[in-house]
């Protein structure tokens, strides 16, 4: 009897899995949310080449696009053939390169702002740019935290900052080691200060409490870096040496952010972001795109109390037309090798769970 029950149970599991596969392969009613960052004037840079971006937008021009602020009015229920277009961070080229294309094809979009850099950094939008786009009725602006900064998830060295390390990554790592002024990390003047320093396992500072280097970290590390014994080591040996040293003398080099301090950081990052957008656009933002795609690991209710009603992730997959306010999934427009790949993906109704299983089992 037990064997029969086991066989029936296995058969049910297999049947449910087959139904799950069929559902994902044949799903017709879904909505894609596209994600972009930098729109570049030349191919091969940090983001997507502007010509490729236009080709993608041209492909979706017959879909119905929505801004995030419009979703509440329709009770988060999208009609068929809908599309959501989003940009993270708020780079200047979202205005100079992306905005003219959005206007050309009448596509609505939402930009999630790091308000720390707006109007303070030449790579980012100015409030004049933002107001022009917002008043056009095509572009909405929502939250992405104030600074987008990182914290150390695990005290484990994985690499070193170098001359050719992404300037964006350097900028958002800078405050781990130096007391920088808001928005004024200068690639030319400050980038070299990070060269040679270790890269740790990092995570968004609003995801988990994490660790921070102590104030004298750089001074102590440079002494190690410049010692004869360390300079003679291979890259691999340097990483192994540092990981052993930092385990043995963790309290000498790092401090753990306590839960009270973590709560302060989260509250400031959300409320400051919200306050600055409110002040400049006279609207209350209520949508948060997690910085770095790293979700808050505490109780989501903590963020809802701060005014966040909708949470946007970087987890890949199609959304239901009846949107889940706790999980809006996105597809990165930056990642496609060619237009046919993009076309295939925007017509792909696979759920994030199915994509994860597919990747895990390689089928």
């Amino acid at each position: 009897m037990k064997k029969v029950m086991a066989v029936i149970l296995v058969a049910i599991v297999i049947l449910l899995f087959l139904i799950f596969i069929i559902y994902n392969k044949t799903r017709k009613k879904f909505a894609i949310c596209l994600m972009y960052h930098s729109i570049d004037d030349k191919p091969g840079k940090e983001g997507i080449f502007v010509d490729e971006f236009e080709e993608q937008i041209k492909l979706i021009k017959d879909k119905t696009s929505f801004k995030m602020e419009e979703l509440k009015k329709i009770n988060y229920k999208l009609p068929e053939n809908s599309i959501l277009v989003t940009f993270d961070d708020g780079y200047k080229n979202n205005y100079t390169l992306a905005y003219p294309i959005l206007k050309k094809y009448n596509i609505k979009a939402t930009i999630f702002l790091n308000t720390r850099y707006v109007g303070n950094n030449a790579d980012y939008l100015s409030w004049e740019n933002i107001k022009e786009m917002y008043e056009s009725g095509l572009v909405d602006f929502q939250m992405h935290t104030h600074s987008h900064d990182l914290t150390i998830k695990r005290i484990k060295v994985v690499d070193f900052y170098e001359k050719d390390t992404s300037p964006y990554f350097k900028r958002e790592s800078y405050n781990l080691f130096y007391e920088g002024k808001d928005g004024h990390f200068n690639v030319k003047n400050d980038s070299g200060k990070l060269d040679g320093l270790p890269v740790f396992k990092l995570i968004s500072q609003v995801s988990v409490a994490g660790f921070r280097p102590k104030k004298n970290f750089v001074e102590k590390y440079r002494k190690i870096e410049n010692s004869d014994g360390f300079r003679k080591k291979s890259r691999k040996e340097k990483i192994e040496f540092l990981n052993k040293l930092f385990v043995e003398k963790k309290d000498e080099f790092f401090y753990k952010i306590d839960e009270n301090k973590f709560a302060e950081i989260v509250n400031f990052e959300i409320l400051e972001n919200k306050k600055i957008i409110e002040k400049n656009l006279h609207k209350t933002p209520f949508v948060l795109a997690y910085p770095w795609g790293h979700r808050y690991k505490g109780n989501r209710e903590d963020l809802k109390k701060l005014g966040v009603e909708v949470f946007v992730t970087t987890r890949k997959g199609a959304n239901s037309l009846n949107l889940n306010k706790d999980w809006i999934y996105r597809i990165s427009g930056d990642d496609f090798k060619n237009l046919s790949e993009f076309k295939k993906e925007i017509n792909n109704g696979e759920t994030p769970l199915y994509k994860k299983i597919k990747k895990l089992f390689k089928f």
Side-chain angles (χ1 to χ4, degrees):
M1 186 65 181
K2 287 183 179 179
K3 286 184 179 179
V4 173
M5 291 301 293
V7 169
I8 292 172
L9 185 61
V10 169
I12 290 171
V13 170
I14 292 171
L15 179 62
L16 289 173
F17 188 64
L18 287 173
I19 292 170
F20 180 64
I21 291 174
I22 293 167
Y23 169 76
N24 276 274
K25 288 294 186 184
T26 60
R27 189 181 184 197
K28 300 296 181 187
K29 295 183 179 182
F30 60 88
I32 296 295
C33 182
L34 294 170
M35 172 181 66
Y36 299 96
H37 291 81
S38 179
I39 310 299
D40 299 326
D41 57 0
K42 294 177 183 177
K45 293 175 77 174
E46 292 282 333
I48 183 173
F49 180 40
V50 63
D51 291 359
E52 293 172 5
F53 174 72
E54 180 164 10
E55 288 300 313
Q56 291 183 6
I57 295 300
K58 199 185 296 183
L59 265 180
I60 64 168
K61 66 181 175 63
D62 294 326
K63 292 182 178 290
T64 305
S65 56
F66 290 88
K67 299 176 291 183
M68 287 291 164
E69 68 179 6
E70 294 178 312
L71 299 180
K72 190 185 288 190
K73 299 170 189 173
I74 59 172
N75 201 25
Y76 301 97
K77 293 178 181 177
L78 295 171
E80 290 185 40
N81 200 36
S82 295
I83 194 89
L84 300 174
V85 178
T86 65
F87 299 81
D88 284 5
D89 306 328
Y91 295 116
K92 186 78 171 181
N93 52 43
N94 292 177
Y95 173 75
T96 57
L97 298 176
Y99 180 49
I101 293 168
L102 296 174
K103 285 196 293 184
K104 181 177 178 180
Y105 297 100
N106 197 35
I107 294 291
K108 294 177 180 178
T110 299
I111 298 177
F112 295 102
L113 292 174
N114 300 135
T115 42
R116 178 184 187 181
Y117 304 109
V118 173
N120 291 322
N121 187 303
D123 293 328
Y124 280 76
L125 295 166
S126 67
W127 283 111
E128 289 74 19
N129 300 150
I130 290 168
K131 287 173 184 175
E132 180 185 334
M133 287 190 282
Y134 185 63
E135 289 169 4
S136 75
L138 274 184
V139 186
D140 182 27
F141 294 88
Q142 296 287 341
M143 296 180 284
H144 200 38
T145 72
H146 180 56
S147 72
H148 207 267
D149 280 350
L150 292 158
T151 194
I152 297 172
K153 182 180 181 181
R154 285 178 57 203
I155 301 173
K156 181 180 180 181
V157 178
V158 294
D159 207 344
F160 297 95
Y161 294 92
E162 297 177 337
K163 188 176 181 180
D164 59 353
T165 298
S166 163
Y168 300 112
F169 181 56
K170 280 187 171 183
R171 183 191 58 237
E172 286 157 28
S173 306
Y174 189 75
N175 277 21
L176 280 174
F177 304 101
Y178 298 100
E179 293 293 327
K181 292 181 179 179
D182 269 9
H184 291 289
F185 171 83
N186 184 287
V187 174
K188 185 178 179 181
N189 298 331
D190 299 326
S191 184
K193 294 178 186 176
L194 291 168
D195 292 350
L197 290 175
V199 176
F200 297 97
K201 287 270 187 180
L202 300 174
I203 193 168
S204 166
Q205 66 173 350
V206 298
S207 180
V208 298
F211 298 86
R212 293 287 175 92
K214 289 189 171 179
K215 284 190 175 181
N216 62 351
F217 178 89
V218 174
E219 180 184 352
K220 292 178 76 170
Y221 176 76
R222 293 303 187 196
K223 287 179 181 177
I224 295 168
E225 180 188 34
N226 293 323
S227 66
D228 290 339
F230 191 79
R231 283 189 294 188
K232 290 176 182 176
K233 294 180 186 295
S234 66
R235 188 183 194 83
K236 183 182 177 182
E237 288 170 337
K238 287 176 181 178
I239 290 174
E240 289 173 351
F241 171 82
L242 290 173
N243 281 327
K244 184 179 178 183
L245 175 69
F246 291 152
V247 167
E248 293 172 353
K249 298 187 177 182
K250 182 174 74 174
D251 294 339
E252 189 178 322
F253 287 92
F254 307 91
Y255 68 92
K256 178 82 170 72
I257 298 170
D258 64 42
E259 290 304 316
N260 289 333
K261 181 62 178 175
F262 175 57
E264 282 180 26
I265 291 169
V266 172
N267 286 7
F268 173 79
E269 286 291 325
I270 300 294
L271 293 178
E272 187 72 2
N273 199 207
K274 182 181 174 184
K275 181 182 78 176
I276 293 171
I277 294 172
E278 281 179 331
K279 178 184 174 183
N280 286 277
L281 294 183
H282 309 293
K283 60 164 275 181
T284 301
F286 59 92
V287 185
L288 172 70
Y290 288 119
W292 300 95
H294 301 157
R295 68 179 177 83
Y296 176 64
K297 299 297 172 61
N299 188 331
R300 197 181 284 114
E301 292 301 316
D302 297 340
L303 303 187
K304 289 182 179 180
K305 289 174 184 175
L306 301 176
V308 181
E309 298 178 28
V310 183
F311 300 83
V312 179
T313 76
T314 56
R315 195 171 173 191
K316 294 180 179 179
N319 297 280
S320 166
L321 292 177
N322 189 5
L323 292 169
N324 179 352
K325 292 192 289 181
D326 289 340
W327 292 95
I328 292 184
Y329 308 112
R330 294 193 286 179
I331 300 294
S332 176
D334 305 341
D335 292 347
F336 298 104
K337 293 177 183 176
N338 52 58
L339 197 60
S340 64
E341 274 191 12
F342 175 79
K343 187 175 182 180
K344 182 180 177 182
E345 195 61 36
I346 61 172
N347 291 295
N348 181 355
E350 292 175 358
T351 61
L353 178 59
Y354 183 72
K355 284 183 178 291
K356 194 171 184 178
I357 292 171
K358 227 172 52 164
K359 185 178 180 181
L360 184 65
F361 293 103
K362 298 177 181 177
F363 67 84

